[in-house]
Amino acid sequence: MKRPINRAYTLLAVGLTAVTVGLFACQGGNGSAVGAGDMASAAQAVYVAPGEYDEFYAFMSGGFSGQLTVMGLPSGRLLKQVPVFSQFPENGWGYSEETKAMLETSHGFVPWDDAHHPELSMTDGVPDGRWIFINGNNTPRVARIDLSTFETTEILEIPNSAGNHGSPFITPDSRYLVASTRFSVPIPNRDMSIEEYKGNFKGTLSFVRADTPKEMEIAFQILMPGYDYDLAHAGKGPSDGWMFFTSYNTEEEHTLLEVTASRRDKDFVAAVNYRRAEECIASGAGTETPADYRHNYFNDDHIAVSERVNSVLVIEPSDCSDLVYFLPTPKSPHGVDVDPSGEYIVAGGKLATVIPVHSFSKMLAAIEAEDYEDVVEGIPVIRYESVIAGEVANAGLGPLHTEFDGRGYAYTTAFITSEIVKWEIGTWQVVDRIPVYYSVGHLMIPGGDSREPEGKYLVALNKITKDRYLPTGPELAHSAQLIDISGDRMRLLLDFPTQGEPHYAQGIPAEKVMNNQVQFYSLEENTHPRAAKSPAETRVVREGNEVHVYMIASRSHFTPDNIEGVRIGDEVFFHVTNVEQDWDVPHGFATMGANTAELLIMPGETRTLTWVPQEPGIYPFYCTDFCSALHQEMQGYLRVSPRNANVPLRWGIGGEWQTQQ
């Protein structure tokens, strides 16, 4: 039901909004007015001429879309959505027979997830452009995306986990990625009263081997107290071999957490010496524990397979001395970030009034001196004053995430005051701040969490858009804003809408990725068992109630394009091979009445659509991707007869028919 609109009220509201936006939008990072010359300069800075390429790839999590979004910087142009954890009808991901197994879990086929944190593979602590990983938060999973094809090629489910938020942060050598539990649960999970949470629910920190495609595996899990584990980042340089995790709800509460889990002045950053874990495991520490989870990957035939895994190695801090230490951190920390030198560990306390910066060298000295204020379930808690390097004051309200420019400065998001705050490492002094629109969560500097940041651009990933774009009803796009950080003062260059709800992003110079692209799949190397690579290999075969159509697609027809002899009760498999051997000539395939999605088939590739006809009749099929001037003519017909019909199974093209012998 539409509400009546009070025109005077509407004009007043619009006027107030305009004034508010004007006050923000007409200020630079130092509060000065933005003139026409500045706007022209900003437009020029983000302009990518027709036919030219962006300088950077930006990989953004899709949040509740379950996918990964690829955009160009500085233009903000959408380049691609990469399907990962959610079915994607645009290309048949999760619908085609070759991809369904990628979405198998211990809970069955799960066609959606909540994707939060993309993380690029690294060599010597620098993004290398081989792969990007991303997490599934709801049904705990991590995925590998091959950046030579921009395709998800591997997904590993994480057992003993609930809410896989703090992942998949990578070590400098890409040996491990980590996955920490957002929600502690009983381990093994079992029926018990929620009111028995304290002391009985546990968290896990999973270390996943990630350096070899098709072989992702959980190397070990560390059993932790029943806190909420949030985000992580790996050490580098002197702190290489350590991983740092934020945790909150150290009160171990289970209801009204915004009140009950915010009572302590400090929660913890967990510092984990994973090299020490390797030593302990090699000496026999840890217990092989029953589990049930899935490892899904594309095999050599480019068909997804799902393997069941039934155990995982679990290690407790009591099994391995010097494994885990707690660093007290104010208050309800969210992000944890390590500067390029590897010396400083920066936490973002959602309810803190300062940004705490821990010192790795002071941490080691405190461990050596056993300078602890407490021990929690066998884990030493280092005295705050003994590990803190400094506190950044006046850093905005709601500090969340920090990245670095490689020139001695850090940039932190302030969610409540909607700003980016720039501060100097070592002096801990704020040197600049810029408003963003609105409620900024994560931020991204290309390479900003690595040893060698590309300190030119910063992308603010904002949670609320409101008046930044043309309105689209109650549901609005989320917003990203591009900020120039190359000078002393930050400068807002561009707004651009995003897909889903980005939580984190990664950026990398384009040349590290674009020069390694697969342009098409070699038809000669196509080993799909149902592929037809030439007209002579096309056929239609009945196997009981299954009908298998071996079809090829080429500009501008299908072979065969006429099929008869299918009956009600049959399950029809269209195995379509795109025989093109040229870049950017995909073919699509769809048939009327199919209750899956279309196929989008890359050159040299085979994909399978399954269809169960419900009524007798003539059913057209056609190419869904415009491939040539005669694309409209790329079509065919399939005849469906009653179940008891005696219509022979035959197929043909150009009026010439063949019949199954």
Side-chain angles (χ1 to χ4, degrees):
M1 178 178 179
K2 293 183 178 179
R3 294 184 299 175
I5 297 174
N6 184 308
R7 180 171 175 79
Y9 174 83
T10 302
L11 290 174
L12 176 61
V14 170
L16 288 173
T17 300
V19 170
T20 304
V21 174
L23 288 173
F24 279 102
C26 292
Q27 291 182 349
N30 57 3
S32 60
V34 176
D38 294 316
M39 288 189 284
S41 174
Q44 185 177 20
V46 301
Y47 179 68
V48 178
E52 296 296 321
Y53 294 143
D54 278 287
E55 187 177 354
F56 294 94
Y57 284 98
F59 300 99
M60 298 189 179
S61 68
F64 44 65
S65 78
Q67 319 297 29
L68 179 79
T69 301
V70 186
M71 307 188 89
L73 295 182
S75 73
R77 295 185 294 198
L78 174 64
L79 303 177
K80 185 178 179 64
Q81 274 195 284
V82 180
V84 188
F85 297 114
S86 298
Q87 288 180 297
F88 194 59
E90 181 177 312
N91 66 4
W93 176 262
Y95 293 97
S96 70
E97 295 302 314
E98 289 77 12
T99 61
K100 285 180 181 177
M102 293 298 279
L103 301 182
E104 288 292 339
T105 75
S106 60
H107 307 278
F109 181 82
V110 176
W112 172 87
D113 215 318
D114 184 17
H116 278 217
H117 303 121
E119 183 82 353
L120 286 158
S121 59
M122 292 192 185
T123 300
D124 296 329
V126 179
D128 55 28
R130 291 179 295 166
W131 313 303
I132 191 163
F133 302 91
I134 194 167
N135 64 324
N137 184 26
N138 185 57
T139 303
R141 290 173 282 180
V142 292
R144 181 198 311 270
I145 297 164
D146 186 335
L147 290 182
S148 70
T149 60
F150 282 68
E151 182 177 52
T152 303
T153 56
E154 191 170 11
I155 295 177
L156 179 69
E157 189 179 2
I158 308 296
N160 296 330
S161 179
N164 177 42
H165 188 254
S167 70
F169 298 97
I170 199 82
T171 58
D173 56 1
S174 296
R175 178 176 176 83
Y176 297 115
L177 61 82
V178 298
S180 61
T181 51
R182 177 179 176 181
F183 312 113
S184 287
V185 293
I187 296 178
N189 209 345
R190 58 196 181 275
D191 179 26
M192 65 184 302
S193 173
I194 298 171
E195 293 180 334
E196 298 180 60
Y197 182 115
K198 188 171 294 188
N200 293 308
F201 287 28
K202 298 292 181 181
T204 56
L205 309 178
S206 300
F207 284 74
V208 176
R209 280 296 301 268
D211 50 357
T212 305
K214 303 180 186 179
E215 296 182 12
M216 288 173 69
E217 63 177 358
I218 299 172
F220 57 91
Q221 292 183 318
I222 303 174
L223 193 66
M224 296 289 287
Y227 308 154
D228 290 47
Y229 296 88
D230 208 353
L231 294 177
H233 263 106
K236 53 180 76 75
S239 56
D240 186 20
W242 291 75
M243 184 69 72
F244 303 93
F245 301 83
T246 51
S247 64
Y248 62 96
N249 190 23
T250 53
E251 297 87 348
E252 295 189 72
E253 294 290 351
H254 60 272
T255 184
L256 284 177
L257 260 60
E258 72 273 21
V259 176
T260 58
S262 301
R263 292 177 300 188
R264 294 183 54 159
D265 182 56
K266 293 182 177 67
D267 290 290
F268 297 134
V269 166
V272 176
N273 185 344
Y274 60 84
R275 297 267 168 76
R276 176 63 181 149
E278 293 174 331
E279 294 173 353
C280 290
I281 290 167
S283 298
T287 302
E288 200 70 36
T289 303
D292 181 18
Y293 57 104
R294 300 295 186 272
H295 176 219
N296 308 330
Y297 62 93
F298 276 115
N299 65 15
D300 292 340
D301 296 330
H302 207 60
I303 299 172
V305 296
S306 182
E307 296 178 340
R308 184 174 181 176
V309 189
N310 54 25
S311 68
V312 63
L313 182 66
V314 177
I315 185 170
E316 298 191 44
S318 58
D319 298 334
C320 182
S321 62
D322 308 315
L323 175 62
V324 184
Y325 298 89
F326 281 143
L327 315 182
T329 302
K331 177 178 185 183
S332 296
H334 186 51
V336 58
D337 304 280
V338 181
D339 86 305
S341 74
E343 167 64 13
Y344 298 114
I345 302 106
V346 182
K350 298 189 293 290
L351 302 178
T353 57
V354 297
I355 300 172
V357 183
H358 299 295
S359 162
F360 180 73
S361 58
K362 292 182 73 172
M363 185 190 84
L364 292 184
I367 292 170
E368 180 69 21
E370 297 187 359
D371 188 3
Y372 308 140
E373 65 180 42
D374 198 1
V375 177
V376 178
E377 297 190 27
I379 301 171
V381 180
I382 299 174
R383 196 175 308 278
Y384 181 72
E385 293 75 14
S386 299
V387 73
I388 200 73
E391 294 178 336
V392 182
N394 192 29
L397 299 179
L400 294 182
H401 300 281
T402 299
E403 294 221 334
F404 307 91
D405 65 6
R407 298 189 300 272
Y409 295 100
Y411 302 75
T412 299
T413 59
F415 180 84
I416 296 173
T417 47
S418 295
E419 59 183 328
I420 305 291
V421 178
K422 177 182 178 181
W423 49 275
E424 187 173 26
I425 299 172
T427 69
W428 323 122
Q429 297 299 307
V430 173
V431 298
D432 193 21
R433 61 203 319 135
I434 188 172
V436 291
Y437 313 97
Y438 307 90
S439 300
V440 60
H442 282 273
L443 76 166
M444 180 270 282
I445 296 170
D449 64 346
S450 75
R451 279 199 313 108
E452 297 181 3
E454 307 278 344
K456 184 174 183 179
Y457 298 119
L458 180 152
V459 178
L461 299 170
N462 306 334
K463 298 299 183 183
I464 298 172
T465 306
K466 288 191 182 295
D467 42 30
R468 300 307 287 181
Y469 311 116
L470 289 171
T472 55
E475 183 183 357
L476 302 176
H478 288 266
S479 178
Q481 294 187 297
L482 182 69
I483 297 169
D484 180 357
I485 60 170
S486 61
D488 292 335
R489 296 290 190 179
M490 291 181 281
R491 184 169 65 123
L492 179 61
L493 299 177
L494 181 68
D495 285 16
F496 55 97
T498 59
Q499 301 288 312
E501 183 195 0
H503 291 259
Y504 188 41
Q506 292 267 273
I508 191 171
E511 64 268 14
K512 286 192 174 184
V513 176
M514 62 180 291
N515 296 326
N516 300 315
Q517 294 302 289
V518 172
Q519 296 184 344
F520 56 87
Y521 297 101
S522 169
L523 192 61
E524 292 182 357
E525 297 174 6
N526 182 334
T527 56
H528 192 293
R530 302 281 188 174
K533 301 181 185 180
S534 69
E537 296 178 4
T538 61
R539 60 200 184 278
V540 180
V541 178
R542 176 176 290 282
E543 299 175 4
N545 288 339
E546 294 183 356
V547 175
H548 293 268
V549 180
Y550 296 76
M551 178 181 287
I552 64 173
S554 60
R555 285 169 288 186
S556 294
H557 62 271
F558 294 106
T559 305
D561 64 5
N562 280 204
I563 302 168
E564 294 187 349
V566 172
R567 301 189 294 260
I568 294 297
D570 287 341
E571 188 174 17
V572 183
F573 296 84
F574 293 95
H575 309 289
V576 186
T577 302
N578 181 346
V579 296
E580 309 282 357
Q581 293 290 267
D582 194 6
W583 194 22
D584 198 22
V585 191
H587 288 297
F589 180 85
T591 185
M592 187 174 74
N595 59 2
T596 54
E598 67 149 1
L599 299 176
L600 197 60
I601 312 140
M602 297 302 108
E605 186 179 50
T606 301
R607 284 285 181 261
T608 301
L609 181 146
T610 304
W611 173 54
V612 179
Q614 301 298 312
E615 298 290 341
I618 303 297
Y619 292 83
F621 51 84
Y622 67 103
C623 177
T624 55
D625 191 286
F626 208 101
C627 54
S628 72
L630 297 178
H631 164 74
Q632 280 302 100
E633 283 76 10
M634 192 167 175
Q635 65 180 52
Y637 292 100
L638 186 144
R639 175 185 174 186
V640 176
S641 300
R643 184 65 201 158
N644 57 358
N646 293 319
V647 178
L649 185 66
R650 63 175 190 162
W651 62 96
I653 186 171
E656 297 185 5
W657 292 87
Q658 298 184 61
T659 303
Q660 182 178 8
Q661 302 300 315

